[in-house]
Amino acid sequence: MRKLLLFTLPFLFFGCTSQQINQTLNTVLNGGLTSDDIGNGLKEALRLGAQRGANELSADGGYFNDVAYRILLPEEVLKVTDKLKGIPGFSDLEQVIIKKINQGAEDAAKTAGPIFVQAIKQMTIQDAMGILKGDNNAATTYLQRTTYSDLYNEFNPVISTSLDKFDAQKIWADAAKVYNDFPLTRQPVNTNLADHVTERALEGLFSKVALEEENIRQNVSARTSELLRRVFAQQDKQGK
């Protein structure tokens, strides 16, 4: 078959431009898939993975009910909550704030989908080819590299608003004031709770997207369209 292909290729390319020749060679070498097929397939996979990940974490309890994604308090905040446990009204402060910040992250995660979609639209053919031949989290790594800064800038004010919606920042501000008013407090605490929650929320979000990508790569039943099946069948062959 290989000899026959080598024999017939010169005749197939007679009169073609170099661009047409490259396109034909790529299609043959990629199992009948064009570069556009691969690009569209990878974009679909990334869109599905990002959408599923965002939907799962934005659901009620999406962060809080899963210990793998639950956002905990930074060390500076724990110093405060530990010292305030003996004061009336602050005995369960740590549990209250953790619940509130995770609710805020779940609320903010609802905005992630459109941001991901816009970034995915900008993926080039070269990006797609590298992703197809890359590691099980190559698409997620691409998404994280190209969207993190913009996503953080969009996510942080939403997180802040969400924390205010659930009174998390007020609860923390009240606790920090009590702590800072202690006679023996040498260094006042001024932790930016919104930044901490945003970083942890995005960390969990990309982790969730990576799991969805790995599922599509390894689980044939997760490839829910003909294009996905064709593109990742080519990946399966390359892996053997």
Side-chain angles (χ1 to χ4, degrees), residues 19-35:
Q19 182 179 3
Q20 290 171 324
I21 292 173
N22 288 334
Q23 288 175 342
T24 303
L25 276 172
N26 285 334
T27 301
V28 171
L29 294 174
N30 290 319
L33 291 169
T34 66
S35 296

Side-chain angles (χ1 to χ4, degrees), residues 97-229:
I97 294 182
I98 288 177
K99 178 67 174 180
K100 297 289 187 181
I101 65 177
N102 281 275
Q103 285 177 318
E106 290 155 13
D107 194 49
K110 297 172 185 176
T111 69
I115 298 172
F116 281 145
V117 169
Q118 183 58 38
I120 293 167
K121 288 179 179 178
Q122 299 174 1
M123 181 187 291
T124 67
I125 297 300
Q126 290 76 15
D127 292 327
M129 294 298 293
I131 288 170
L132 183 65
K133 300 174 183 178
D135 297 332
N136 283 342
N137 66 342
T140 305
T141 299
Y142 164 83
L143 189 61
Q144 188 166 8
R145 186 182 74 248
T146 58
T147 69
Y148 190 92
S149 180
D150 290 338
L151 193 60
Y152 185 96
N153 291 336
E154 292 289 336
F155 221 58
N156 186 257
V158 177
I159 282 282
S160 184
T161 300
S162 298
L163 292 176
D164 288 337
K165 176 180 176 181
F166 296 105
D167 292 329
Q169 294 195 110
K170 182 180 183 303
I171 292 172
W172 165 240
D174 291 344
K177 184 178 184 305
V178 173
Y179 176 80
N180 290 337
D181 287 343
F182 278 170
L184 299 179
T185 297
R186 295 181 179 179
Q187 185 175 357
V189 174
N190 186 23
T191 300
N192 189 325
L193 193 58
D195 282 346
H196 170 77
V197 176
T198 300
E199 290 174 357
R200 298 290 81 77
L202 290 178
E203 181 181 292
L205 185 59
F206 284 116
S207 177
K208 179 71 77 172
V209 172
L211 287 178
E212 294 294 341
E213 177 189 353
E214 184 176 2
N215 185 39
I216 291 174
R217 285 183 181 272
Q218 298 185 352
N219 186 359
V220 175
S221 64
R223 303 167 188 173
T224 55
S225 74
E226 180 60 27
L227 180 58
L228 278 179
R229 286 188 283 272

